[in-house]
Amino acid sequence: GQNIDQPTEMTATEGAIVQINCTYQTSGFNGLFWYQQHAGEAPTFLSYNVLDGLEEKGRFSSFLSRSKGYSYLLLKELQMKDSASYLCAVRDIYYKLSFGAGTTVTVRA
Amino acid sequence: SQTIHQWPATLVQPVGSPLSLECTVEGTSNPNLYWYRQAAGRGLQLLFYSVGIGQISSEVPQNLSASRPQDRQFILSSKKLLLSDSGFYLCAWSQWGPPTNEKLFFGSGTQLSVL
């Protein structure tokens, strides 16, 4: 199975940058996903990493180091609408996706 | 394009009553289907997943069951609800290969309160 750890909460100012770290332990790694979830809503896909390195998508970037069991999601130029929970999820070799508990990001004006 | 429908959006049920949540996917064939539960302040817990009609894998022992009577229909059931069954239930689908490459797409969720 997987063991996925990420911080519970983070707070940042509008326009700033925030980095959400995720560490994982898995018996068979087959990809790492980041999802965004606003309160009371379903998660929506943000990014996917299967090889080491940085994937950039506009204001959001995600990094993966498989040897370290580590990923981060970088949110730049924070906007109020970015206030949400960010979920790190690891896929195993059987294509099952396991989620971390999520990091609640609060953006302040 | 593909869409996923999940209903109802909210449900309040007494302890000991039955449960049936339904999920359907449109615009694709032979999707992988999933039921997740999210307790307040906690991560998503995989309950069941299915790779084809009649093929159900259970991830955790519980008083819930799942069925897939049709290719794009996934049903979560219980004969007798417990207080601990309260939570946010999410149906999701994925598919092998491009263009979605096994990304999970979620339904809008059902907030279940067992009283």
Side-chain angles (χ1 to χ4, degrees), chain A residues 34-46 81 83-87 99, chain B residues 4-9 23 34-38 42 44 88-93 104-111:
Chain A
W34 285 96
Y35 280 79
Q36 180 191 59
Q37 185 179 24
H38 287 99
E41 299 181 7
T44 55
F45 170 80
L46 285 180
K81 68 178 182 180
S83 291
S85 182
Y86 292 85
L87 309 176
F99 286 81
Chain B
I4 178 169
H5 303 279
Q6 182 183 344
W7 66 95
C23 171
Y34 306 80
W35 278 110
Y36 281 88
R37 177 172 60 200
Q38 187 174 35
R42 301 186 64 180
L44 289 165
F88 191 45
Y89 287 81
L90 288 156
C91 180
W93 74 273
L104 268 184
F105 297 91
F106 288 89
S108 53
T110 297
Q111 185 63 54

Side-chain angles (χ1 to χ4, degrees), chain A residues 23-93:
Chain A
T23 57
Y24 64 88
Q25 294 174 319
T26 179
S27 53
F29 178 82
N30 192 20
L32 187 141
F33 296 75
W34 285 96
Y35 280 79
Q36 180 191 59
Q37 185 179 24
H38 287 99
E41 299 181 7
T44 55
F45 170 80
L46 285 180
S47 69
Y48 167 62
N49 296 71
V50 67
L51 300 176
D52 291 351
L54 188 68
E55 293 283 340
E56 296 188 83
K57 264 190 180 182
R59 294 189 298 114
F60 294 178
S61 304
S62 58
F63 171 82
L64 174 67
S65 169
R66 289 172 295 171
S67 62
K68 296 181 179 178
Y70 168 71
S71 172
Y72 68 72
L73 179 69
L74 194 68
L75 314 179
K76 305 174 194 172
E77 301 170 18
L78 278 173
Q79 301 175 9
M80 299 301 288
K81 68 178 182 180
D82 297 329
S83 291
S85 182
Y86 292 85
L87 309 176
C88 175
V90 175
R91 185 172 68 189
D92 67 15
I93 57 175

Side-chain angles (χ1 to χ4, degrees), chain B:
Chain B
S1 64
Q2 302 93 348
T3 56
I4 178 169
H5 303 279
Q6 182 183 344
W7 66 95
T10 58
L11 192 59
V12 180
Q13 292 284 101
V15 170
S17 64
L19 172 75
S20 181
L21 301 181
E22 190 162 342
C23 171
T24 59
V25 179
E26 296 177 358
T28 187
S29 60
N30 199 29
N32 302 317
L33 296 172
Y34 306 80
W35 278 110
Y36 281 88
R37 177 172 60 200
Q38 187 174 35
R42 301 186 64 180
L44 289 165
Q45 179 188 34
L46 179 61
L47 301 176
F48 300 95
Y49 72 97
S50 171
V51 298
I53 296 175
Q55 300 178 56
I56 310 292
S57 294
S58 174
E59 289 299 296
V60 293
Q62 59 213 324
N63 70 321
L64 299 171
S65 63
S67 61
R68 185 170 179 173
Q70 299 180 44
D71 181 44
R72 289 167 290 176
Q73 183 185 27
F74 206 24
I75 298 172
L76 182 69
S77 304
S78 173
K79 292 182 179 177
K80 286 186 178 182
L81 283 169
L82 306 172
L83 286 174
S84 58
D85 291 325
S86 294
F88 191 45
Y89 287 81
L90 288 156
C91 180
W93 74 273
S94 69
Q95 199 149 45
W96 312 111
T100 58
N101 291 316
E102 273 300 304
K103 295 173 195 171
L104 268 184
F105 297 91
F106 288 89
S108 53
T110 297
Q111 185 63 54
L112 172 66
S113 299
V114 182
L115 306 177

